[in-house]
Amino acid sequence: MPLVNNKVGDDCTASGDKALADGRALVDSLIKVVACYRHLASCVGGCTDSLQLRDELRQTREKAQKLAGDICHHLTSHLRDKSLPEEQRKEMELLWVAFSSCLELLHVDMCKVLNMSGIFSLADSATLVHTGQEGGCSEVAARALSLPDLNEAQAKTLPASLESQERSTMELEVNQIDRMIDDMEMKVNVLRWMVEPHGPQYADPLSSTDSASMALISVDEEQQAPRSQPLCPRSHIFVLLLLFGVFLVAATLSVCVFLFS
Amino acid sequence: MQDPCAGVKSQPQRLVITIIPHAITGEDIIAWLADRFQIDPQEASSFGSMLVALGYIYPLQDHKRLVIKPDTSLYRFQTPYFWPTQQWPVEDTDYAIYLAKRNIRKKGILELHEQEQYNHLHKWMNHKWDFIVMQAKEQYRAAKERKKPDRVVFDCQERAYWVVHRPPVRKHSQKLPLNNFMIFTQQSIMRPRVKSSVLVKYCATYSGHDPFLSKCLPSNPWLTDDTTFWTLNMPNVEVPTKMRVERWTFSFKELLSDPRGRDDFRLFLKKEFSGLCRFTTPVPHLAVYSGIPDPPSVTASPSLPFLAHTPACPSPISVALDSTSASERRLEASEGESNAESRPPDGGNLSRSRMALSLRRLLKRGCSPSAMFASLSPKCHTAATTSSRIQPITPEEPSHAPPRRIGK
């Protein structure tokens, strides 16, 4: 009776699926952190730039770098495994493309932050640009770090004298990401243009779309629209109210006449 | 501009119930620029429009028109992240993410040009489309963590950035010339730098002659209000400056585009070629070449001869070596023929070698070869009536003109 060893095949498939799931989770986390980092980076040099923002940027950057290192190691080891099944290899390559694109975005934003933090020093707040924003980005940073909220006391521990040290550290981190991108290209040869995505062309509207802020932005877009209608809705309401008032007065007068007649 | 006392007055922008600070009006911007730089309002308006076109200030109403309006229209300063100063490359990936975000926000209702761009980007960036959609969703979710006014401001900033870098194409072009100029200037600034040996060579050659890039003697009139520099470089000054003469050596075009250079060149030709050839001043670079099919009108000055294009003389006339002394000719021949094994055997090749030697002599004097200036012939008659008697040069016809020493 021949021995049938199916269990080994099942274990390989299961471990491959698990590796895929782990890789997907890591890449999703990195995408989230990079998205948050972009929001934080857009505030540098503006009127909301502060030590707290710089500290949040640093923490977010560290989180992103840690995730990037884990993903790089994870994907590289699996993609260099020649025994990886073809289907799982395709999925890994898809993750690889997403990871490398994410890393490029992070690298660009880090370079921008490095450049702008050198130009806009916090020592001279008069040079910060009045962009119209007033609130901070602590909630965004908390989302990036997967924390309920950031302790504001943590931000004040970064003294201004360490600003230059922070910049040199940031330069090292930028170089590190740069090297990581180069190493990825050298170690694994993924033909990006051969990768086929799964998702749709159009992103599905999220469950709770922000209609309020969209309406605010749309207000000024509609202000320039030609007013071809003779009466706008506000005038309709005014006329209706006026008519209702007239009707009410008439009704009151008729009741009075009836009672006193 | 942001100084609370001396800067542009800022005011809050009211959007229904939301108030966003740091809005400035167009008329205040123009007034401040006119006062600060001591310029007239029209120039201040142009300058302000440049700031908007480049993306340092963005309009809050009518965001698609990147001009400053001299009224109460509101504007705001752009965040440094979206400034064009550092010339960060404008990536299509970022634009695709922006459009995907906008598609989410507007529930699939994009403008026509945005829809076209979206489809185009989806086609050629298809391999990373999953990432683009996911990144758009995450950026959208992260924006929701912010306060509503800040979220609105960020959306306006991002929208303004992409209006600058991906302007909507208008079907019915009603652009003012100023809009064309601004778009052209935007693209000129945003164009990626491309290394070109020709451009580098040009910059290296001319950098020393630019009064703003290098030292200008005696002083730059724009900086010191001393007009000596302009006086020394008048078009028909008696003694040209050293820098001016140096510039003539760059190219034939430089020499002939300078009136003083043309005069010196004319003098040189008179000395070299017995003064029998003269150029028509209006078209100096085409003077010698007989490309003028028709004779000049009767109102033209009779002292300006021309060389008509006739079958007898269809090509540029060759340089006469007879005005050059024999020793100089031998010297030039030996210099140029160092690698040649044999001399031209007969007269058939002699004209070509004579032409080449003469051209080399001209090159030595700093004149670049040009298609229109192959040769000159003292034997060609200059009057229009004698155009039919212009004969091509033959090797066996010696010149009767006495040999002249070359000036330098």
Side-chain angles (χ1 to χ4, degrees):
Chain A
M1 188 174 178
L3 291 172
V4 177
N5 196 355
N6 291 328
K7 195 172 180 195
V8 174
D10 290 341
D11 283 345
C12 284
T13 308
S15 65
D17 290 339
K18 185 179 180 309
L20 206 57
D22 290 344
R24 197 171 286 129
L26 286 171
V27 171
D28 288 348
S29 297
L30 181 63
I31 289 175
K32 182 183 76 171
V33 172
V34 168
C36 294
Y37 190 77
R38 174 153 287 196
H39 275 278
L40 296 172
S42 69
C43 297
V44 176
C47 48
T48 55
D49 196 359
S50 61
L51 286 172
Q52 182 178 353
L53 177 72
R54 303 285 175 100
D55 188 52
E56 287 163 0
L57 278 164
R58 181 184 57 81
Q59 295 181 51
T60 309
R61 200 167 51 243
E62 286 172 0
K63 174 84 183 279
Q65 282 189 293
K66 184 181 176 310
L67 278 171
D70 293 343
I71 296 170
C72 188
H73 177 74
H74 181 86
L75 291 180
T76 307
S77 61
H78 283 89
L79 282 170
R80 294 178 80 170
D81 179 11
K82 299 204 187 299
S83 63
L84 190 69
E86 188 58 31
E87 281 187 16
Q88 290 182 4
R89 177 170 291 279
K90 285 184 180 177
E91 294 296 321
M92 284 286 183
E93 287 180 351
L94 202 59
L95 289 179
W96 181 265
V97 169
F99 170 55
S100 64
S101 305
C102 204
L103 213 57
E104 284 167 5
L105 280 191
L106 177 66
H107 183 258
V108 167
D109 282 343
M110 285 173 68
C111 290
K112 286 185 178 180
V113 169
L114 177 64
N115 183 275
M116 287 188 296
S117 60
I119 297 169
F120 295 95
S121 171
L122 295 175
D124 185 10
S125 60
T127 59
L128 299 178
V129 181
H130 294 172
T131 56
Q133 292 176 335
E134 291 181 304
C137 293
S138 300
E139 295 83 5
V140 178
R143 177 183 168 82
L145 301 172
S146 303
L147 297 172
D149 62 56
L150 281 184
N151 187 1
E152 290 191 6
Q154 291 177 6
K156 293 174 186 172
T157 59
L158 183 69
S161 60
L162 289 179
E163 201 171 327
S164 59
Q165 188 177 344
E166 173 71 11
R167 291 198 70 240
S168 60
T169 308
M170 209 186 311
E171 281 181 24
L172 290 172
E173 290 171 352
V174 168
N175 292 333
Q176 191 180 345
I177 294 288
D178 206 6
R179 278 197 302 274
M180 190 185 295
I181 294 172
D182 290 339
D183 286 346
M184 280 169 55
E185 297 296 330
M186 296 294 288
K187 285 179 184 173
V188 179
N189 182 24
V190 173
L191 302 177
R192 298 168 191 236
W193 292 270
M194 301 293 291
V195 169
E196 291 182 13
H198 295 320
Q201 178 176 353
Y202 297 97
D204 295 330
L206 298 177
S207 56
S208 56
T209 51
D210 184 14
S211 56
S213 65
M214 199 59 221
L216 289 175
I217 301 168
S218 302
V219 163
D220 62 322
E221 288 180 355
E222 291 168 4
Q223 277 180 359
Q224 298 299 319
R227 297 181 188 274
S228 57
Q229 297 174 1
L231 289 174
C232 62
R234 285 187 185 173
S235 300
H236 277 297
I237 296 169
F238 177 73
V239 168
L240 282 171
L241 284 172
L242 189 64
L243 284 173
F244 181 76
V246 167
F247 175 77
L248 200 62
V249 167
T252 308
L253 284 173
S254 61
V255 166
C256 292
V257 165
F258 178 77
L259 286 175
F260 291 109
S261 61
Chain B
M1 289 178 81
Q2 296 181 150
D3 189 87
C5 301
V8 184
K9 191 176 70 174
S10 73
Q11 61 188 16
Q13 178 197 12
R14 297 179 187 278
L15 288 173
V16 190
I17 57 171
T18 305
I19 296 174
I20 302 173
H22 304 148
I24 47 182
T25 61
E27 57 190 11
D28 287 343
I29 295 171
I30 292 171
W32 187 89
L33 289 172
D35 180 60
R36 173 71 172 82
F37 296 106
Q38 295 295 305
I39 52 180
D40 57 89
Q42 190 176 1
E43 194 173 347
S45 175
S46 300
F47 185 40
S49 294
M50 287 296 296
L51 290 176
V52 176
L54 291 171
Y56 290 101
I57 300 174
Y58 62 91
L60 301 179
Q61 298 130 349
D62 197 8
H63 62 278
K64 292 180 187 174
R65 289 197 64 212
L66 301 179
V67 290
I68 279 266
K69 296 179 192 173
D71 53 19
T72 55
S73 301
L74 294 178
Y75 299 82
R76 196 177 284 126
F77 293 109
Q78 179 63 285
T79 183
Y81 182 85
F82 290 128
W83 279 5
T85 309
Q86 291 81 11
Q87 294 185 314
W88 297 106
V90 181
E91 299 287 349
D92 283 327
T93 306
D94 292 333
Y95 189 47
I97 293 170
Y98 164 73
L99 288 177
K101 258 195 304 187
R102 199 166 161 78
N103 184 61
I104 294 171
R105 264 203 305 266
K106 298 189 86 173
K107 298 179 187 176
I109 304 172
L110 289 175
E111 296 188 21
L112 185 59
H113 74 278
E114 289 176 338
Q115 189 70 56
E116 290 171 0
Q117 288 282 347
Y118 193 83
N119 295 336
H120 171 70
L121 289 169
H122 176 256
K123 192 184 291 184
W124 83 271
M125 292 171 65
N126 187 257
H127 59 285
K128 55 164 95 169
W129 205 253
D130 282 353
F131 161 73
I132 285 170
V133 168
M134 287 177 63
Q135 177 69 205
K137 283 184 179 174
E138 287 299 332
Q139 286 190 15
Y140 181 81
R141 288 179 180 133
K144 290 188 70 178
E145 298 290 334
R146 303 176 76 168
K147 298 182 180 56
K148 193 195 296 185
D150 291 347
R151 199 184 323 150
V152 171
V153 170
F154 179 74
D155 290 339
C156 289
Q157 289 170 350
E158 202 174 20
R159 182 182 64 184
Y161 176 78
W162 289 113
V163 167
V164 170
H165 294 282
R166 295 287 189 271
V169 177
R170 296 188 180 191
K171 285 188 177 178
H172 302 287
S173 177
Q174 294 175 355
K175 293 177 190 173
L176 297 172
L178 180 63
N179 281 350
N180 288 337
F181 170 72
M182 287 194 298
I183 289 168
F184 171 77
T185 313
Q186 283 173 45
Q187 289 172 350
S188 301
I189 291 172
M190 297 304 150
R191 190 172 297 130
R193 287 168 288 183
V194 177
K195 283 189 181 176
S196 164
S197 60
V198 173
L199 185 63
V200 169
K201 185 179 173 187
Y202 178 88
C203 292
T205 306
Y206 284 89
S207 66
H209 291 259
D210 190 323
F212 287 99
L213 295 180
S214 60
K215 198 174 179 183
C216 161
L217 294 175
S219 65
N220 190 332
W222 292 103
L223 301 177
T224 61
D225 291 332
D226 177 17
T227 58
T228 309
F229 176 77
W230 288 336
T231 308
L232 291 174
N233 288 283
M234 295 283 283
N236 293 311
V237 71
E238 189 179 341
V239 179
T241 61
K242 181 187 167 189
M243 294 296 285
R244 192 172 180 176
V245 173
E246 187 182 303
R247 193 161 179 156
W248 297 342
T249 66
F250 291 164
S251 68
F252 211 47
K253 181 187 168 188
E254 287 289 339
L255 174 69
L256 293 182
S257 61
D258 188 349
R260 189 66 178 80
R262 281 204 298 277
D263 291 341
D264 272 5
F265 185 59
R266 197 177 290 123
L267 188 64
F268 162 77
L269 291 173
K270 281 182 183 174
K271 287 180 183 175
E272 283 294 308
F273 305 108
S274 308
L276 291 181
C277 283
R278 282 168 283 178
F279 295 92
T280 57
T281 305
V283 193
H285 59 291
L286 292 175
V288 178
Y289 182 54
S290 57
I292 308 170
D294 302 315
S297 62
V298 293
T299 57
S301 168
S303 64
L304 294 175
F306 76 102
L307 302 168
H309 180 74
T310 63
C313 187
S315 62
I317 42 184
S318 61
V319 179
L321 295 174
D322 304 310
S323 62
T324 312
S325 66
S327 60
E328 287 176 333
R329 264 179 279 159
R330 277 196 294 276
L331 181 65
E332 287 179 352
S334 64
E335 285 175 1
E337 299 294 327
S338 58
N339 293 329
E341 295 298 325
S342 61
R343 296 280 177 180
D346 54 15
N349 291 332
L350 186 57
S351 62
R352 282 200 295 276
S353 62
R354 286 168 65 190
M355 191 183 295
L357 288 173
S358 300
L359 193 58
R360 188 180 307 117
R361 183 152 55 86
L362 286 172
L363 289 174
K364 279 168 61 177
R365 283 156 184 79
C367 297
S368 302
S370 157
M372 57 83 186
F373 187 73
S375 59
L376 298 168
S377 169
K379 290 185 171 42
C380 283
H381 297 278
T382 55
T385 53
T386 58
S387 61
S388 61
R389 283 186 275 148
I390 294 172
Q391 299 294 330
I393 290 293
T394 55
E396 57 271 14
E397 284 185 65
S399 168
H400 296 292
R404 300 282 181 93
R405 291 289 307 177
I406 299 166
K408 186 180 178 185

